[in-house]
Amino acid sequence: MIKSITVTNYLGDSIKLDLAKPEESGFVVQSIKGFGPGEANINTTEVSTNDGSLFNSSRLPSRNIVIGLKFLWKKSVEDVRQLSYKYFPIKKKLTLFIETDNRQAEIDGYVESNDPNIFSRDESSDISIICPNPFFYSAGKNGTNTTIFCGVEPMFEFPFSNESLFECLLEMGAIQNQTEKVITYDGDLEVGVTITIHAVGEANKIAIYNTGTREIMRIDTDKLAVFTGSGIIAGDDIIICTVKGNKSISLQRAGKLINILNCLEKNADWFQLTKGDNIFAYTTETGSSNLQFKIENRTVYEGV
């Protein structure tokens, strides 16, 4: 069951439309269309000698979300109507954060129309939002999943208590020192990851593997030395993003962000997480213990 929808406009202003407490926002959510998995375009070719057709390709078009809002008397109906212009501005970008009983998801879109029926006794408006990226992404406190291979994993949480009068049981952090980890992904569709490699010393010839699919991504540190003046040194951060539409690899050194895409070995695989267990590992020619390695990912949903 959908509990609430939080709308954040392009200026960063937000309003929460609580379906159970419409008097707080002044808007009654009467209907919502476009929160389901949507409708895909299936491209086929007819064959004159066979029944049916041959599958060519499929794609999911932009998502169209239509929210039906009824205006309540907060101060006046006119105030609430004009409030809708603020949070649903035509042509501008906004973010919808949807909270259900077991899921928190968000999606970005652009307002296509907001045309209220001003002369109706029960004034309302159907707001149409076009979302170029048709998928919902995990959001909120657990929106991003972080898997730490080598480094310090934070353990301290509030509220806290030490259950012993004689032993110190509180953990501020746990040191992880592994070169292989399992990432369990529970989304509806494949999703890219963000890999962050922090160096505390020199390292050479980094190779990252998805052992289940046998995909490999190698970073040529010799090319990196030619391109930047040195190989991997203490303080470096290598950030690899494999998210479709945002693929990149960059080096952060001395406060500068450098594009090092040309240091990636040819025919590298851009990893995507699939539903279930995904096993990742990394190796180096030298300096493996000098690297702190983590992978971050969000969860993609077809619908809420």
Side-chain angles (χ1 to χ4, degrees), residues 140-161:
K141 183 173 66 175
N142 300 317
T144 301
N145 176 54
T146 302
T147 304
I148 296 177
F149 289 65
C150 184
V152 179
E153 182 176 7
M155 304 290 288
F156 187 73
E157 296 180 350
F158 286 96
F160 64 91
S161 63

Side-chain angles (χ1 to χ4, degrees), residues 91-105:
K91 302 192 301 181
K92 300 295 186 179
K93 184 178 180 180
L94 54 73
T95 300
L96 300 179
F97 173 79
I98 303 101
E99 185 176 5
T100 70
D101 289 334
N102 59 6
R103 181 173 288 182
Q104 292 181 330

Side-chain angles (χ1 to χ4, degrees), residues 239-297:
I239 304 165
I240 305 169
C241 180
T242 69
V243 177
K244 293 178 181 178
N246 292 300
K247 293 179 180 178
S248 64
I249 173 169
S250 55
L251 169 69
Q252 188 158 7
R253 175 181 291 174
K256 295 182 179 179
L257 197 65
I258 307 168
N259 183 354
I260 57 169
L261 186 61
N262 60 345
C263 299
L264 195 62
E265 198 171 86
K266 290 182 178 180
N267 302 319
D269 299 302
W270 295 88
F271 305 124
Q272 299 289 306
L273 296 183
T274 56
K275 193 176 183 70
D277 291 341
N278 300 260
I279 305 172
F280 284 86
Y282 73 95
T283 62
T284 64
E285 194 172 276
T286 59
S288 177
S289 60
N290 289 332
L291 300 180
Q292 296 178 353
F293 193 95
K294 71 177 180 180
I295 295 180
E296 297 172 294
N297 71 277

